[in-house]
Amino acid sequence: MSDFAQTVKQQADIVKVIEGYIRLRKAGAQNYSGLCPFHKEKSPSFSVHAVRQFYHCFGCQASGDVFSFVGKIENVGFPEAVRIVAQKCGIPLPKREYSSPEEAAGARLRGRLLELHETATAWFEEQLRGPEGAVAREYLAGRGMTPEGIKTFRIGYAPDSFNSLRDRLSGMADNETLRACGLFSAKEQGDGSLGPIYDRFRKRVMFPIANESGRVIAFTARTLETGDKAGAKYINSPETPLYSKSLVLFNLDKARTAIRQYEFALLVEGQMDCISVFLRGIQNVIATSGTAFTEQQVALLRRHTSQVVVNFDPDAAGSNAAEKSIALLTEEGFTIKIVTLDGGLDPDRYIRERGVEAYTAALRGARRQSDYLIERARQMFPGASAEQKVKAMNYLLPHIRRIPEKLTRNQFAADAAQKLGIDSAVLREELHQAALRRRDHVEVRATALNEVERVLLRALSVDDPENEEARRMAIKALAEQPAWFEHLGTFAAMQALAGRQARDPMDVVEDEAQRALLAETLLAETKPPAESEVESAIQEIQERAMEHRLRELRTLIAEAERQGDFTELALLTQQKLELDRALRQLHNPRPPER
Ligand SMILES: [Zn+2]
């Protein structure tokens, strides 16, 4: 770890940093706990050790320090994690904090692109307020947008010009950077090279897309043109080093606090729906931007909740994207409810026409996913003929199989049989088999620790000089009699800890499973072990090692007898006698003199 990373780690408080992502509760003198962001769970098994500054999940065994947490949750490498933590703690970054020149160049480019987007956002906002923005203001007012709402979402206007944004930004960055930012287009020329850049977004209302930290990384632009000239109603920024469509959930930056508070996310399709619902006070709302969910988006959402209420457009395209999203969320173990608004309205129109109370009521009336799907199956395959029932069932089977939890799966199958009026034993069996077939998730757990190992791990992790003796004793025993410890699952961790100098215990253990065991141990205890505890732990280890050797000797003796090898037999018997005596002495440290 570089000096800079070391400094950041010392100044950062892991509890505060993690609290920026998930909700933590104080769970002990030194511990906090919460729902693990790295696996799906309903009761908290994720712990943060405030003193030793590490986290550990008893459910999925994820553990590490503040950088590992940020790296994992933001899906970035170590250097980037250090930068993020430094920024969160207000520690200025030194010039060189990258592992390679390419990485430094990449980070520099992203930094430049963020600046360009910030300037562009402010400029679009300015254009919306200016004389050219009148038509856009009118459009927004027509959709019920207030000036405050426009300000909250930083909505702007791209004027009808090929070069006004380019002129505004050209002083800020070189041509290559401007080409990379996604705000400009260029025509391919006769020789295959690209011509000069021009503004990509023209005469459009600009909706900024922010990353989870709230910084603008892309735009969605709605045309104000009508007729042939209009082009697509909405166009988005292309993929850039800053923006990847499949990695962003619209409005997550503003919604995440409310999502945690209400313990569910409201998922809508369009950005306009999202903005409209948010501005009317329902703040746990995010949007997929009209396409089906990606795995990365699911992972993003999982950090905040595992419950989703889906309110997609009622049209056919909406239903398809909705079903794909629902399928993926189901596979990932989310609990899903589905809202269908009557009158075939989308969320934006519904909430504007009928008010927020009516919309809230509709949300409360959201149906369980299984009920929704069964209803859909009945609509798609109406009638009571056996053929229709088979079709309806075939439609439902993949949905049932997808559910990770067995009980939920069984319940779904039973409901489907009942509501579809399936009384044929064959069809019931088919549903039952679908419910059975899904392999339940098997958790890989590291081997449990025994008490002796716990004491030794704690002793080896001692930091304060006051309890140095416990540490010294353990190190000495390890150095002098490594054979006693070899068979322990945590032997490698113990060796690493013994040689760790002044470094953090959690930093020196390389093996992930062993680090997890160490984390469990350190979370379970607040005090280092007493010297007497260490002493008896070492003694127990010694005893076990001797007993183990004793068993070996018995086998070897029997073998020597069988082969008639009396020299070997004598040697082994002698060893056994000595070992017996040593063991007796161990049990009675001061045998009476005879
Ligand atoms: Zn976990």
Side-chain angles (χ1 to χ4, degrees):
M1 208 184 284
S2 68
D3 287 350
F4 178 68
Q6 210 54 270
T7 312
V8 173
K9 194 169 168 174
Q10 274 157 17
Q11 292 185 29
D13 178 2
I14 193 168
V15 177
K16 287 225 176 67
V17 172
I18 292 182
E19 270 181 330
Y21 296 93
I22 62 167
R23 198 138 58 117
L24 290 176
R25 285 201 181 88
K26 201 148 170 51
Q30 306 178 330
N31 303 358
Y32 289 78
S33 72
L35 291 175
C36 178
F38 305 125
H39 83 282
K40 192 230 160 193
E41 62 176 7
K42 293 212 164 86
S43 58
S45 52
F46 181 87
S47 294
V48 184
H49 200 297
V51 177
R52 291 196 179 271
Q53 293 283 301
F54 70 84
Y55 69 93
H56 175 68
C57 172
F58 290 88
C60 70
Q61 311 291 311
S63 59
D65 63 7
V66 65
F67 300 136
S68 116
F69 181 89
V70 169
K72 215 170 157 171
I73 204 158
E74 298 274 5
N75 198 18
V76 294
F78 180 80
E80 189 68 18
V82 173
R83 282 164 45 82
I84 293 171
V85 176
Q87 273 169 345
K88 283 182 194 296
C89 305
I91 303 165
L93 294 171
K95 286 252 164 358
R96 272 212 40 81
E97 205 36 68
Y98 303 98
S99 53
S100 70
E102 294 77 37
E103 197 174 84
R108 224 171 16 245
L109 176 61
R110 284 195 299 278
R112 302 293 297 144
L113 297 187
L114 278 174
E115 285 167 22
L116 289 175
H117 275 83
E118 177 51 40
T119 307
T121 307
W123 187 79
F124 288 140
E125 286 182 284
E126 211 178 289
Q127 302 312 304
L128 181 65
R129 290 189 297 265
E132 276 200 81
V135 54
R137 289 199 299 273
E138 200 177 307
Y139 162 78
L140 289 166
R143 297 209 58 168
M145 287 292 286
T146 61
E148 295 79 52
I150 288 168
K151 209 169 143 197
T152 303
F153 281 89
R154 304 193 66 187
I155 298 167
Y157 175 65
D160 193 7
S161 153
F162 280 91
N163 51 31
S164 46
L165 180 65
R166 185 187 65 197
D167 293 346
R168 173 66 187 85
L169 297 184
S170 60
M172 287 180 68
D174 56 34
N175 209 28
E176 204 183 327
T177 311
L178 291 177
R179 278 180 195 279
C181 77
L183 294 166
F184 303 102
S185 302
K187 285 230 161 59
E188 197 175 317
Q189 293 175 313
D191 60 354
S193 68
L194 288 172
I197 58 166
Y198 57 90
D199 294 6
R200 179 187 296 271
F201 305 110
R202 301 174 304 278
K203 199 168 179 188
R204 282 175 184 266
V205 179
M206 302 300 290
F207 299 97
I209 297 171
N211 64 14
E212 222 184 314
S213 322
R215 305 196 59 181
V216 178
I217 54 174
F219 293 92
T220 292
R222 194 208 187 273
T223 186
L224 290 176
E225 207 76 74
T226 45
D228 299 343
K229 259 183 88 185
K233 193 165 157 194
Y234 286 98
I235 55 175
N236 284 329
S237 293
E239 302 271 311
T240 70
L242 271 189
Y243 171 65
S244 174
K245 192 175 180 184
S246 62
L247 293 177
V248 176
L249 280 171
F250 182 75
N251 202 41
L252 186 58
D253 57 315
K254 290 189 184 68
R256 57 187 200 170
T257 312
I259 289 174
R260 283 195 204 134
Q261 192 181 340
Y262 297 112
E263 293 176 344
F264 76 93
L266 171 61
L267 191 59
V268 298
E269 262 182 297
Q271 284 147 344
M272 218 37 224
D273 290 325
C274 185
I275 291 173
S276 180
V277 168
F278 182 93
L279 289 174
R280 282 165 184 85
I282 298 168
Q283 299 201 332
N284 54 337
V285 60
I286 52 174
T288 56
S289 314
T291 46
F293 248 47
T294 64
E295 267 174 54
Q296 294 98 319
Q297 288 171 323
V298 173
L300 211 57
L301 188 57
R302 154 85 45 72
R303 295 181 206 155
H304 305 285
T305 187
S306 58
Q307 303 201 66
V308 172
V309 173
V310 177
N311 183 190
F312 284 164
D313 284 359
D315 59 57
S319 292
N320 260 335
E323 271 184 22
K324 276 191 196 137
S325 300
I326 291 166
L328 190 57
L329 288 165
T330 308
E331 261 168 27
E332 297 295 321
F334 276 74
T335 307
I336 300 153
K337 285 186 172 179
I338 292 151
V339 183
T340 31
L341 299 171
D342 45 61
L345 295 177
D346 62 28
D348 174 38
R349 276 194 63 194
Y350 192 93
I351 204 165
R352 278 193 287 134
E353 288 178 11
R354 309 202 181 173
V356 67
E357 269 101 58
Y359 188 67
T360 313
L363 289 185
R364 272 199 298 272
R367 280 178 299 167
R368 285 189 310 168
Q369 180 200 10
S370 54
D371 295 341
Y372 168 81
L373 288 170
I374 294 167
E375 184 53 38
R376 216 171 128 69
R378 286 168 61 175
Q379 281 170 4
M380 284 160 71
F381 311 103
S385 71
E387 204 185 328
Q388 289 293 81
K389 282 182 186 177
V390 170
K391 279 184 186 158
M393 201 188 63
N394 283 336
Y395 165 80
L396 290 175
L397 286 178
H399 293 285
I400 295 174
R401 288 201 194 99
R402 212 170 268 131
I403 297 167
E405 272 174 295
K406 196 172 163 209
L407 271 178
T408 320
R409 226 160 47 229
N410 280 336
Q411 187 59 49
F412 192 159
D415 283 358
Q418 200 236 324
K419 288 186 185 146
L420 295 176
I422 292 176
D423 37 32
S424 141
V426 181
L427 294 189
R428 274 183 184 276
E429 183 54 25
E430 188 87 16
L431 280 171
H432 181 62
Q433 283 303 320
L436 286 181
R437 229 169 279 155
R438 176 67 149 80
R439 238 174 76 90
D440 278 315
H441 174 67
V442 184
E443 274 188 12
V444 190
R445 275 199 66 94
T447 356
L449 280 177
N450 61 46
E451 188 50 33
V452 169
E453 286 178 283
R454 286 182 194 282
V455 172
L456 291 171
L457 286 174
R458 279 162 58 211
L460 289 165
S461 302
V462 163
D463 280 329
D464 54 326
E466 230 170 276
N467 296 294
E468 190 53 32
E469 185 56 22
R471 175 170 147 77
R472 209 193 48 75
M473 283 165 66
I475 291 177
K476 184 161 170 279
L478 264 168
E480 288 176 354
Q481 301 285 354
W484 292 354
F485 301 87
E486 269 166 11
H487 66 281
L488 295 175
T490 48
F491 180 59
M494 288 186 185
Q495 279 188 313
L497 288 171
R500 77 183 155 97
Q501 314 284 357
R503 294 172 63 197
D504 260 357
M506 288 290 289
D507 285 349
V508 296
V509 179
E510 309 251 321
D511 180 81
E512 226 172 291
Q514 301 213 359
R515 200 166 56 226
L517 291 172
L518 176 64
E520 284 186 20
T521 309
L522 295 177
L523 279 165
E525 286 287 342
T526 51
K527 282 199 295 284
E531 286 166 39
S532 59
E533 273 180 276
V534 181
E535 203 180 329
S536 52
I538 294 172
Q539 184 178 327
E540 202 180 320
I541 291 278
Q542 182 184 2
E543 259 177 61
R544 269 200 247 156
M546 286 160 94
E547 275 158 7
H548 179 72
R549 178 62 186 158
L550 211 54
R551 281 195 298 279
E552 262 180 14
L553 283 172
R554 284 195 198 105
T555 319
L556 290 170
I557 286 169
E559 185 61 17
E561 274 173 353
R562 205 175 59 79
Q563 293 193 352
D565 186 344
F566 295 105
T567 326
E568 181 71 7
L569 188 61
L571 208 72
L572 291 168
T573 312
Q574 181 60 29
Q575 278 188 29
K576 181 174 174 292
L577 282 173
E578 278 167 23
L579 203 57
D580 277 336
R581 193 178 309 136
L583 257 174
R584 272 202 306 279
Q585 256 183 24
L586 205 62
H587 290 143
N588 306 295
R590 268 181 228 159
E593 296 288 329
R594 271 181 208 169

